Amino acid sequence: MKPDRWPHKPVFVQAGIDMDVIGMGRNSPLPLGVPFEIDSRLFRGKVLLRFRNAKSDDPATHDEYFNGRKRLMQTVIQGRFKRPIKMSDVYVGSLFAHSLASAPPPMMTKIMDAVIRRIAPGVILDLSSQSPKVIALLAGTAQTMSIDSPGKEPDMTSPDIEENVASVLGEKVATTEKCKKRLGNPKKAASYMFDTDRVYTFHTYDNAMDYGRGTMHIPMYGEYDIKPSIGRQPLSLTAVTRDGEILYDVRVWHESHE
């Protein structure tokens, strides 16, 4: 489909090859601003994506969500795991099928990775390989997480979703701050499991990454256009296990890729 026919111009959002979208074809454009159902080998549920600078399929709630906020994107994932898995084994972030067009030298990447790991131990930063990635632990990355019995899960379209994990995971992760700190550390996160009985809701937003424009807001630098750096390949919003199993996989093309 040519960019002039993209429903959410300037972006085209589609499913990755390891995730099915219920009721939609493989190459169909995924909706923005309204949930869609997904199914993968490890997870079944719904995804809601909002990008500030891209057309929405629900303009009213789009404006309601972004007005008065600095946020540039929102992702809400809600559903159930198909098998138990340690929280230390599930990552979320961006995966690339090909090397970056202008990757930093391997030594620089190694230094950057070491610095970031001191702040966020669960982050994996690989910009110089043939399959680059920037990923972090899902449970520690989400701004809020809710764990509920089926039928008791929160409305994923709400502007805000409250933290609700203490009743299942314990008081050590009773607050958002405690949850992010503990579950963002692989050694500590290994003590916790995603089970198959409950519904998990992960609410994530970002003030830096602008998927609508393909840019990143960097402190003391400003807006950085990342599209030339990644080359002719899409950005991704992907949750994946350490062994490469996909929970969900969304690809975001920008019209400048065409």
Side-chain angles (χ1 to χ4, degrees), residues 36-235:
F36 53 91
E37 293 187 56
I38 65 164
D39 188 30
S40 67
R41 290 181 58 187
L42 190 57
F43 190 83
R44 185 181 178 100
K46 296 180 289 185
V47 175
L48 171 65
L49 302 174
R50 290 185 174 119
F51 299 157
R52 177 186 284 273
N53 292 306
K55 293 180 181 179
S56 173
D57 295 301
D58 189 345
T61 58
H62 176 93
D63 293 341
E64 178 186 358
Y65 181 77
F66 287 111
N67 285 348
R69 291 172 162 170
K70 295 181 179 180
R71 300 175 187 178
L72 296 170
M73 63 86 70
Q74 179 201 30
T75 304
V76 184
I77 312 299
Q78 184 176 82
R80 298 172 70 172
F81 288 81
K82 294 184 178 181
R83 64 174 174 83
I85 186 169
K86 289 182 179 180
M87 292 190 182
S88 59
D89 288 343
V90 182
Y91 287 80
V92 65
S94 292
L95 307 177
F96 298 94
H98 309 287
S99 58
L100 302 183
S102 55
M107 182 56 68
M108 179 59 70
T109 299
K110 187 175 182 179
I111 294 172
M112 292 167 61
D113 184 57
V115 171
I116 292 174
R117 281 177 180 269
R118 292 177 187 173
I119 303 170
V123 170
I124 297 176
L125 177 69
D126 172 14
L127 302 178
S128 302
S129 74
Q130 295 299 307
S131 301
K133 63 179 72 70
V134 182
I135 54 177
L137 291 177
L138 173 61
T141 299
Q143 266 72 20
T144 56
M145 179 168 63
S146 186
I147 307 175
D148 305 273
S149 299
K152 302 293 185 181
E153 62 270 17
D155 179 1
M156 69 184 301
T157 65
S158 298
D160 293 291
I161 295 173
E162 295 184 2
E163 189 82 34
N164 179 33
V165 301
S167 61
V168 176
L169 302 183
E171 290 302 315
K172 289 184 178 181
V173 291
T175 67
T176 298
E177 183 179 355
K178 289 180 179 179
C179 189
K180 289 176 71 69
K181 184 175 181 179
R182 191 168 186 84
L183 299 184
N185 185 308
K187 291 183 179 180
K188 295 179 179 178
S191 301
Y192 300 88
M193 297 285 293
F194 292 120
D195 63 34
T196 59
D197 300 323
R198 297 177 176 87
V199 177
Y200 291 81
T201 304
F202 305 97
H203 175 217
T204 305
Y205 56 84
D206 198 339
N207 300 339
M209 186 63 209
D210 189 336
Y211 283 87
R213 292 177 175 164
T215 61
M216 179 177 290
H217 292 252
I218 301 175
M220 302 181 69
Y221 178 87
E223 190 173 34
Y224 175 71
D225 188 349
I226 66 173
K227 298 186 293 297
S229 297
I230 66 173
R232 193 180 171 83
Q233 60 183 327
L235 292 164

